[in-house]
């Protein structure tokens, strides 16, 4: 039985749709990779005015660029992230290479990033929390990115996404207390 999702799921290509339609009942839209055009933004925005849109792009550099373009032009879309280490098959990285479980987990934890109504974490807070400037900073950011479903990011984008989700310093401390 297919999982029903009342949303438009935006992916990069046909192979993603071929996999997703095998176990998900939803509306799908492919932006044909990096060739995303104004007509794609127009369609996504039209759908957004009537329903929910979830962006599910590959966990690689082109996928991140496509996601950023969609988020820039289509305010209010949700973001789902498959983890790179669970999305590799035959030396390829992507949604089409992910397991059913990884994709469903990503879709279940779709996030809406609100750039207008942000939290107030600073770069100094990240430093104080040991999320920058230390030998284990990368592993801590990676853990928090997975915990909060932020996708893989550098420090600057990590801070931006934490603020867009209004995640507080105390929430981060609570999560990090279990990290060695």
């Amino acid at each position: 039985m297919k999982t029903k999702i009342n949303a438009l799921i935006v992916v990069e290509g046909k192979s993603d749709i071929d996999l997703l339609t095998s176990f998900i009942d939803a509306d799908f839209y492919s932006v044909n990779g990096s060739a995303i055009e104004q007509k794609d933004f127009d369609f996504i925005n039209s759908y957004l005015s009537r329903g929910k849109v979830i962006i599910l792009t590959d966990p690689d550099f082109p996928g991140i660029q496509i996601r950023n373009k969609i988020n820039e032009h289509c305010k209010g879309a949700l973001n789902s992230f498959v983890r790179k280490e669970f999305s590799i098959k035959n030396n390829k990285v992507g949604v089409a290479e992910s397991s059913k479980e990884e994709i469903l987990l990503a879709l279940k934890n779709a996030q809406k990033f609100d750039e207008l109504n942000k939290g107030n974490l600073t770069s100094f807070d990240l430093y104080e929390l040991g999320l920058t400037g230390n030998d284990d900073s990368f592993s801590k950011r990676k853990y928090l990115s997975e915990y909060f479903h932020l996708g893989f990011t550098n420090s600057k984008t990590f801070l931006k996404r934490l603020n867009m989700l209004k995640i507080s310093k105390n929430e981060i401390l609570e999560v990090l207390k279990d990290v060695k």
Side-chain angles (χ1 to χ4, degrees), residues 16-32:
D16 299 326
I17 292 175
D18 290 344
L19 174 67
L20 295 173
T21 56
S22 70
F23 62 92
I24 296 173
D25 178 12
D27 293 329
F28 296 97
Y29 186 82
S30 167
V31 296
N32 294 315

Side-chain angles (χ1 to χ4, degrees), residues 81-82 113 141 145-146 148-153 158 161:
F81 299 93
V82 290
F113 297 125
R141 282 195 317 274
S145 289
E146 288 182 9
F148 290 115
H149 305 280
L150 304 175
F152 180 77
T153 64
F158 177 74
R161 289 186 181 169

Side-chain angles (χ1 to χ4, degrees), residues 6-140:
N6 292 317
L8 174 70
I9 301 174
V10 179
V11 296
E12 291 181 48
K14 184 177 175 348
S15 60
D16 299 326
I17 292 175
D18 290 344
L19 174 67
L20 295 173
T21 56
S22 70
F23 62 92
I24 296 173
D25 178 12
D27 293 329
F28 296 97
Y29 186 82
S30 167
V31 296
N32 294 315
S34 299
I36 191 165
E37 299 176 9
Q38 185 60 46
K39 68 176 179 62
D40 298 312
F41 301 132
D42 293 343
F43 179 82
I44 294 166
N45 278 319
S46 177
Y47 198 101
L48 261 172
S49 69
R50 296 166 180 76
K52 185 165 57 170
V53 172
I54 302 172
I55 305 167
L56 181 64
T57 57
D58 297 346
D60 58 9
F61 185 73
I64 292 167
Q65 286 186 311
I66 293 164
R67 175 186 303 280
N68 290 343
K69 286 179 186 176
I70 296 169
N71 278 317
E72 181 183 328
H73 290 90
C74 305
K75 304 296 184 197
L78 298 170
N79 287 266
S80 284
F81 299 93
V82 290
R83 296 170 292 177
K84 188 173 189 174
E85 61 269 26
F86 296 104
S87 303
I88 301 172
K89 194 184 296 176
N90 300 325
N91 294 321
K92 290 181 74 179
V93 175
V95 171
E97 288 70 38
S98 301
S99 69
K100 172 184 173 180
E101 294 76 23
E102 179 66 16
I103 292 168
L104 290 174
L105 178 66
L107 291 170
K108 177 182 170 209
N109 291 294
Q111 302 278 0
K112 183 176 182 182
F113 297 125
D114 184 355
E115 292 193 46
L116 299 176
N117 194 9
K118 298 192 259 191
N120 57 2
L121 289 172
T122 66
S123 298
F124 185 72
D125 291 326
L126 293 188
Y127 180 76
E128 276 188 331
L129 292 164
L131 299 172
T132 58
N134 294 324
D135 291 339
D136 63 346
S137 295
F138 175 81
S139 61
K140 285 181 178 179

